[in-house]
Amino acid sequence: MISLNQMKKILVIDDDQFFSKTLEAALPAGKYSLLSAEDGEVGLQKLISEKPDLVILDLMMPKLDGTAFLKKLQESKDLPKVPVLVSSNLSSVKKISDVMAMGAVGYVIKSDESLQSIVQDIERVLGENLEKK
Amino acid sequence: MNTALFSSAMIFNFLIPIFLLLVILVFYFYYSLKKREKETTKEREESTRRLYELTILKELGERVGYSLNVEEILQIITGSLKQFIDYTAVGYIVINPEKIKINTHIEKSVSRSFLSEMKDRMIASLSALTDKSFDSSAIDEVVSGAIVVDEIKQNIGSLFNIPLVIGGAVAGVLTVAHIDVGLYKEEDMTILYKITGRASEAVSRLEEVVEMEKGKLNAMVLSMEDGVLMVDTEYRVVVANPAIKKIIKFNLLADGKDVNFFDFVNALGGKFDIHGKLEEVIKKKNPYYSERINIDDSFFEIGVCSVSHSMLKGGDQILGAVVVFHDITKDIELERVREEFTSMIVHELRSPLDGIKKIIELMISGSILANSDKFKEYLNMAHQSSASMLELINDILDFSKLQAGKFEVNKEKVDIKEIVENKISFYKISADAKNLSLQSFFSNNSPQFSEFDPQAVKQILNNFISNAIKFTSRGGSVLLSVFTYKPGEPLPTDLARDKFIVFPETADIKINVPALCVAVSDTGIGISKTNLENLFHTYKQVRLNSSDDQNKGTGLGLVIAKGIVEAHGGKIGVVSKEGIGSSFFFTIPL
């Protein structure tokens, strides 16, 4: 039987350290452990080494940006298949549809949503995944 | 009785001579009266002639002044001729661009052979004058006036031809014919020569004026930057200036054929339906303006409008249409740059502000205990975010002031040494955190006091030093050098540049007056050639080659630094080698 108390690993790939810190504080205690990466490259490394349950991905980052990261994930066969929730301040409809077409499970506009609602989105995605498993 | 006879004989002898004298006198007066009558008639004829001449010339002047139509001129002349000259028939032969035309007006009925002889003689005259031969069957003939009656056997008795010369070339011939022989005297011919002479003068002058105006118009259109194309109603190219030939990339071919309409249709292809738009505009008489159209690397706004001229008789005659290509590439580039700038600012402000909002959200939710370490940490984060936002806003303000030329430089007599040392101690902490050495060096020739705006220069140093620290890896070094630069002389020898391979040379310091020079050199990652070009001009993020934790930035700092330095009358510059280091420097005239 799957233990519902198992801590979920969330990998936050964002160059804004404030975001990952505040997100961590907002998540219900004990349920999640948060890892952070400041760009896509480090993100890929941590994806392989830590095998998180969810990736929260920013789009505007130096070196490997969010879109390129998603592409790599989509095209590779070896990388672990982890759901990716994109959280960005970019709000163009085109961007959103492009990103969703690349396999993201959701798109959150950071500055429009409160920490609460972001947390709800996270729980929803992880909950769905749980059901799939 | 003898006396009486003698007396009457004597009287007779007196009377007869008197009588004879009277007769002679009468004859004399009669003769001189007749002579005077003749003279008067002659004078009257002369003045009639003069009057005719004047009337014709006046009419000619009015009508020819607006017309270059040779036929019209000939018609005017022949129309008024019958007031003065007696003729059986009058006609003209005129050379039109397409055909030769003969127009004959019959005053009194004549036979066809009369007309045909007249025609032959007109053609002969024209041939002789123009040295060309004409096919009489290919000539348009118009006959008006009295009817042709073949029974009338009279042929041409007198005839004379007068050429109409315009601009040095024979444009036509005027012919007057009569059945009577020997009718036309020199005076008749002279006056007609005078009239046609005047007419040709007037027309030639008019043509000159037209050519000159055409020349002016051509020169103007030729020099226009916008591409101009004018076509007539048959889509023949009337005007195509060099600018438009450049747009469609037209090169004069070896056979010298100039551009034609199909060259345009092909070149514009699917981007702009030039034929369709021209048709539309000519039909509807409404001008058309396009949205931006992309041709190769440029953008154009294309305007199409019809060309017409109002005729004397009223109404408009469509001559064709004009297409103008207005290059808006620069405007679009400017638009794009502004958009980029705005979106950059928006992004840079939104993130920290959102961070503050989320931090406050956390605090409101109570998930962080007041006065806990976490709490203090978050407060600091919020403080930092708001500080960086304010910094950005100040930068933007400075930037726009510099752009508008309204940046104020408040010069004071300052000791640069003080400012430099102040900055060194301020940035020591950040340098130590990365294990970087941060030092200053003052050459022996560095000035004690110089004039500049201390706040502004501090801003420049902040930017240079923080960049140097940011882009230098652990264990590296940063050095602030201060010296006086004298153009034409080598740099001071006491500059401690041993560790710093990258340092400005005299050739790099592009100022030609003695100046205070400050250089911030580092042993950092350096800047690639392509990035180097853009540094002080754009505000794009300079992408980094190696890892760094604080690579955000608007790049405005350097642009502002340049503005400040130039507002002081100085020069800013940078030398850099990738992987080895960089040196940012500026000069301020002493």
Side-chain angles (χ1 to χ4, degrees), chain B residues 379-390:
Chain B
L379 274 183
N380 269 325
M381 279 160 63
H383 186 238
Q384 224 181 308
S385 281
S386 49
S388 69
M389 281 174 69
L390 276 173

Side-chain angles (χ1 to χ4, degrees), chain A residues 97-111:
Chain A
S97 61
D98 285 347
V99 158
M100 296 306 282
M102 284 201 263
V105 303
Y107 196 108
V108 171
I109 299 175
K110 268 196 277 190
S111 48

Side-chain angles (χ1 to χ4, degrees), chain B residues 437 439 476-481 496-503 520-524 580 582-583:
Chain B
S437 93
Q439 289 173 321
S477 318
V478 177
L479 174 71
L480 266 83
S481 320
R497 343 168 358 175
D498 14 299
K499 275 190 275 182
F500 300 89
I501 304 168
V502 184
F503 200 87
V520 177
S521 321
D522 62 59
T523 57
I580 300 183
S582 319
S583 187

Side-chain angles (χ1 to χ4, degrees), chain B residues 21-299:
Chain B
L21 206 64
L22 272 168
V23 170
I24 291 167
L25 276 169
V26 167
F27 268 119
Y28 176 70
F29 279 124
Y30 181 68
Y31 179 65
S32 57
L33 207 72
K34 263 275 179 274
K35 195 170 167 202
R36 214 171 293 154
E37 229 182 82
K38 241 191 194 161
E39 277 173 14
T40 318
T41 319
K42 205 170 177 197
E43 268 171 33
R44 204 181 296 138
E45 275 182 11
E46 192 60 44
S47 38
T48 315
R49 227 175 257 135
R50 282 272 157 73
L51 199 67
Y52 170 63
E53 203 180 305
L54 284 168
T55 316
I56 292 287
L57 287 173
K58 179 166 174 265
E59 203 182 334
L60 262 183
E62 281 170 12
R63 289 170 69 175
V64 165
Y66 303 111
S67 170
L68 284 176
N69 190 326
V70 180
E71 261 206 77
E72 251 185 74
I73 295 164
L74 285 166
Q75 269 173 10
I76 295 167
I77 299 174
T78 54
S80 338
L81 212 56
K82 71 166 161 267
Q83 302 164 22
F84 169 63
I85 275 183
D86 189 20
Y87 54 77
T88 311
V90 69
Y92 61 79
I93 181 168
V94 66
I95 305 174
N96 281 329
E98 299 95 46
K99 272 186 148 184
I100 309 289
K101 186 166 171 196
I102 291 186
N103 187 314
T104 317
H105 179 83
I106 313 174
E107 193 57 37
K108 300 170 197 127
S109 287
V110 291
S111 63
R112 240 184 304 201
S113 59
F114 182 102
L115 282 176
S116 122
E117 197 195 325
M118 189 170 164
K119 175 181 168 185
D120 287 339
R121 288 173 76 163
M122 283 166 92
I123 295 171
S125 167
L126 190 64
S127 296
L129 288 164
T130 56
D131 221 6
K132 285 195 202 129
S133 59
F134 302 100
D135 179 6
S136 67
S137 57
I139 296 179
D140 274 345
E141 265 188 80
V142 173
V143 179
S144 59
I147 51 169
V148 177
V149 179
D150 278 336
E151 282 69 41
I152 299 175
K153 292 294 173 210
Q154 290 144 318
N155 280 333
I156 297 177
S158 332
L159 177 142
F160 70 94
N161 297 308
I162 301 197
L164 182 67
V165 177
I166 295 182
V170 175
V173 176
L174 183 71
T175 305
V176 185
H178 203 286
I179 44 176
D180 290 348
V181 178
L183 203 61
Y184 297 123
K185 294 161 238 121
E186 206 169 303
E187 307 102 59
D188 305 313
M189 300 205 274
T190 312
I191 189 178
L192 270 183
Y193 266 111
K194 264 205 224 167
I195 292 168
T196 46
R198 292 273 187 102
S200 78
E201 253 176 59
V203 173
S204 301
R205 243 179 290 134
L206 181 64
E207 276 194 347
E208 263 172 46
V209 169
V210 170
E211 278 308 308
M212 195 170 71
E213 290 304 310
K214 251 171 135 184
K216 280 189 206 165
L217 192 67
N218 273 347
M220 181 182 82
V221 168
L222 238 63
S223 66
M224 273 173 73
E225 268 182 43
D226 284 351
V228 178
L229 167 70
M230 177 169 167
V231 296
D232 64 14
T233 46
E234 310 286 312
Y235 292 94
R236 285 183 288 232
V237 171
V238 176
V239 175
N241 71 348
I244 204 166
K245 288 186 191 168
K246 199 161 148 211
I247 292 171
I248 63 162
K249 294 198 170 62
F250 174 81
N251 292 310
L252 207 57
L253 299 166
D255 61 3
K257 276 215 208 104
D258 203 357
V259 70
N260 71 55
F261 189 63
F262 289 107
D263 293 322
F264 289 96
V265 174
N266 289 334
L268 295 169
K271 295 177 199 143
F272 183 68
D273 178 19
I274 187 168
H275 186 257
K277 288 292 166 230
L278 280 167
E279 257 185 39
E280 215 182 281
V281 163
I282 289 176
K283 212 195 299 177
K284 296 195 189 148
K285 296 188 195 170
N286 280 335
Y288 165 80
Y289 299 104
S290 74
E291 296 290 315
R292 74 163 90 147
I293 304 230
N294 175 225
I295 299 172
D296 296 325
D297 297 324
S298 306
F299 289 90

